[in-house]
Amino acid sequence: MGTDRVVAGRYRLGSRLGRGGMGTVWAATDELLHREVAVKELHLADGEQSLERALREARGLARIRHPNVVVVHDVVEEDGRPWIVMELVDGRSLAEVLREDGPLPPREAARVGAAVAGALLAAHQHGIQHRDVKPANVLLDRTTGRVVLTDFGIARVPGSTTVSETGAFVGSPEYTAPERMEGKAAGPESDLWSLGALLCAAVDGHSPFRGESIGEIVHAVAFADIRPPEAVGPLLPVVQGLLERDPARRMAAADVQTVLVAYAETGAEPPTPPTVPAVPKARADGGERPPRRAGRRRRLLAGLGATVLIAAVAGGTAALVVLRGSGSEDRGHATTAPPTSTAPPTTTALPTTTAPPTTTASPSPTVPAPSALPAGFRTVTDEHGWSVALPDGWVRQEVPPRVYYWSADHAFRFGERVQPPGKGTAYDVMHGQDVAARGAKGPYRGYRDGVVTRTTQNGEEAALWEFTYDGFADGGGPRRTFDLCWVQGGVMYDIWLSGPLDRTEKTRSDFDTARLTFTP
């Protein structure tokens, strides 16, 4: 039933979108800004204390700015209760998709899982645990396919007492980690167990811990042998890495995102290392489980990188390897000061002698032939001798020691820089940049969600840095950047690509193509 009630003098409630134990969500219109929003009316049990806690939690969630986390616009009080105003996602929950359309193919499940892993990583970096990751809380935008993690209603937020800490268990047992089920202290790793169960549900239709009673579910989660469904197929190494009963042995969110993105975008299956053990049964006698063999994650990720690169080239596709991390957007490395301006150039500022990118007649053997490139791309040979595949129409600009290529609308920018190797590895350099960016005087306004990942490029050790910041000083909004750094032939190469935060998937895809096709 619809309603014409107005909350806080500006949010006119419409139809009810859903109702749960923690609150009711309404579609609404923000009459001040003339936009559609979702408004969550929280159900409180103990009055003023619950109100204060809910407000702290909502404000904490508003700090998370990530493309796969629901955006919190406002927190208001009405009739002594808090109402959380969020973005309205036009789509269905994963639970609805599974119920109405059936299970997802493994590659689509990987895409969804990678997005959720990225959202959890961003939340955990702010000290926030979701604690209710399940298909009903994952939304899929019907137009763009964007994946959004929502409903942080029982999240653990720094400085706030959570519902479970008052003595009540809340959550969805089929997706609840065993340490939480047993009442033990639970950290961010408990969200990753839930992600493992969600991946199983995405390809099989339901959690592997489904039971007829709460007792059966508890037994399945805490004691029984864990048998992922056959439908997980190529996702089995990731599922096994997540459904580890020992939280310390679970796969990290950044690793999960790396593997799932690569598989989703290329179809190259994550390898199953011979050292990956079956998920162990809990020992009733308190004995120790077999120790995890060292290097498992490194071998999985390294094997993935080699497999995907080979598969991408051999299969004639340039939509390739994404090994998570990113962006040397507008700065040099530790040995070089950042440029004096980060604003995009105007048309008149571009050198009049600079010609648009040209297609090479005879691309290097390591670069896919033009017919193998994604539609709308062509191979560009820069005047400095290197080549790369970029979308048609991108225009060159040189700001020594950097070379940029801009999209026609100046929304996207590819950058390249060559310099002598510095001290330490490529990872050391990127890690140093990440640390510097987090400082009060870092080169990026609003720097956040920075992650540096070890990977390889052309057989050499490399580092990938991914981050978000508030964008150029003269406007344009937040940006997402992907940056790869490696040393080859005694030279340090650095390539990066950035774009608007709300177009992260295109930025990532274009960067992946550039990474695969870049030839020094």
Side-chain angles (χ1 to χ4, degrees):
M1 298 292 292
T3 175
D4 285 329
R5 179 177 181 181
V6 177
V7 175
R10 63 183 285 188
Y11 302 110
R12 184 173 296 277
L13 304 186
S15 60
R16 189 175 72 182
L17 300 178
R19 180 184 175 90
M22 302 300 296
T24 300
V25 181
W26 305 86
T29 300
D30 182 345
E31 297 186 329
L32 179 62
L33 298 180
H34 303 289
R35 64 179 176 184
E36 301 303 308
V37 296
V39 177
K40 183 173 183 179
E41 173 189 6
L42 296 184
H43 302 161
L44 305 179
D46 54 358
E48 190 170 327
Q49 182 179 355
S50 290
L51 172 60
E52 181 181 356
R53 181 176 64 245
L55 289 174
R56 285 201 306 269
E57 293 183 1
R59 288 166 182 153
L61 295 177
R63 298 197 305 266
I64 306 175
R65 292 178 288 181
H66 189 275
N68 299 118
V69 175
V70 67
V71 177
V72 176
H73 295 313
D74 198 2
V75 180
V76 298
E77 182 180 345
E78 180 89 359
D79 296 335
R81 287 175 293 170
W83 300 65
I84 303 176
V85 183
M86 303 170 288
E87 66 171 316
L88 181 64
V89 179
D90 179 19
R92 296 180 292 172
S93 72
L94 177 58
E96 292 172 315
V97 171
L98 297 176
R99 183 170 59 251
E100 297 168 6
D101 301 342
L104 305 180
R107 285 183 68 176
E108 175 63 7
R111 186 186 74 87
V112 172
V116 174
L120 291 175
L121 183 60
H124 296 165
Q125 288 173 338
H126 287 278
I128 297 172
Q129 300 172 38
H130 188 281
R131 306 198 310 156
D132 199 18
V133 176
K134 60 183 180 181
N137 289 338
V138 176
L139 303 181
L140 306 178
D141 189 287
R142 70 179 73 254
T143 301
T144 65
R146 175 181 168 227
V147 179
V148 181
L149 180 62
T150 186
D151 200 351
F152 285 73
I154 63 171
R156 181 191 298 273
V157 178
S160 175
T161 301
T162 63
V163 175
S164 64
E165 289 167 345
T166 65
F169 175 83
V170 289
S172 304
E174 291 181 42
Y175 296 91
T176 299
E179 62 269 23
R180 284 195 61 219
M181 193 77 78
E182 296 168 9
K184 298 178 180 178
E189 297 82 8
S190 63
D191 283 341
L192 297 173
W193 170 281
S194 303
L195 176 56
L198 181 143
L199 281 173
C200 292
V203 297
D204 196 49
H206 56 80
S207 160
F209 307 107
R210 186 176 62 172
E212 297 297 325
S213 67
I214 185 64
E216 290 183 6
I217 295 173
V218 170
H219 178 76
V221 170
F223 301 107
D225 288 326
I226 299 173
R227 302 183 183 278
E230 292 185 6
V232 300
L235 301 181
L236 181 60
V238 178
V239 169
Q240 287 182 314
L242 292 170
L243 296 182
E244 288 272 9
R245 284 198 171 99
D246 182 352
R249 298 172 60 178
R250 275 177 213 146
M251 200 169 179
D255 292 347
V256 172
Q257 187 181 37
T258 294
V259 174
L260 292 183
V261 167
Y263 171 60
E265 295 192 357
T266 69
E269 298 185 5
T272 303
T275 56
V276 175
V279 180
K281 181 177 181 180
R283 292 280 299 275
D285 60 2
E288 294 183 359
R289 299 187 182 96
R292 168 179 273 174
R293 299 180 189 179
R296 169 186 168 190
R297 290 179 186 169
R298 290 194 298 273
R299 282 190 290 274
L300 176 59
L301 295 174
L304 172 73
T307 300
V308 174
L309 185 58
I310 293 171
V313 174
T317 175
L320 94 146
V321 182
V322 162
L323 285 171
R324 190 175 190 317
S326 150
S328 169
E329 169 64 70
D330 291 304
R331 50 93 187 98
H333 291 313
T335 57
T336 305
T340 56
S341 172
T342 58
T346 61
T347 301
T348 56
L350 289 172
T352 57
T353 59
T354 299
T358 57
T359 304
T360 58
S362 302
S364 166
T366 59
V367 179
S371 60
L373 296 178
F377 278 71
R378 58 178 172 174
T379 301
V380 175
T381 298
D382 190 80
E383 62 186 56
H384 289 293
W386 49 267
S387 63
V388 66
L390 295 172
D392 288 334
W394 284 34
V395 178
R396 185 180 189 275
Q397 179 201 23
E398 185 164 359
V399 183
R402 300 169 183 81
V403 174
Y404 299 119
Y405 280 85
W406 291 85
S407 62
D409 59 0
H410 287 168
F412 298 91
R413 180 169 71 173
F414 171 81
E416 186 273 350
R417 177 182 175 172
V418 176
Q419 63 182 340
K423 294 182 179 180
T425 65
Y427 180 85
D428 295 331
V429 172
M430 288 302 209
H431 178 68
Q433 291 297 317
D434 173 58
V435 171
R438 296 175 186 275
K441 297 183 179 180
Y444 303 108
R445 296 182 304 117
Y447 177 87
R448 54 196 180 272
D449 301 333
V451 177
V452 180
T453 305
R454 299 178 191 274
T455 181
T456 60
Q457 178 74 1
N458 299 337
E460 304 290 346
E461 292 186 6
L464 188 60
W465 183 24
E466 176 182 353
F467 65 89
T468 301
Y469 71 112
D470 287 346
F472 300 124
D474 61 350
R479 298 178 68 80
R480 191 72 171 167
T481 302
F482 298 83
D483 183 355
L484 182 71
C485 178
W486 75 102
V487 176
Q488 182 176 343
V491 176
M492 177 170 282
Y493 292 92
D494 186 8
I495 60 174
W496 64 93
L497 200 148
S498 74
L501 182 60
D502 60 2
R503 302 179 69 182
T504 293
E505 291 308 313
K506 174 174 171 51
T507 306
R508 183 192 295 271
S509 177
D510 289 354
F511 172 76
D512 291 343
T513 300
R515 172 182 177 172
L516 177 65
T517 60
F518 183 84
T519 303

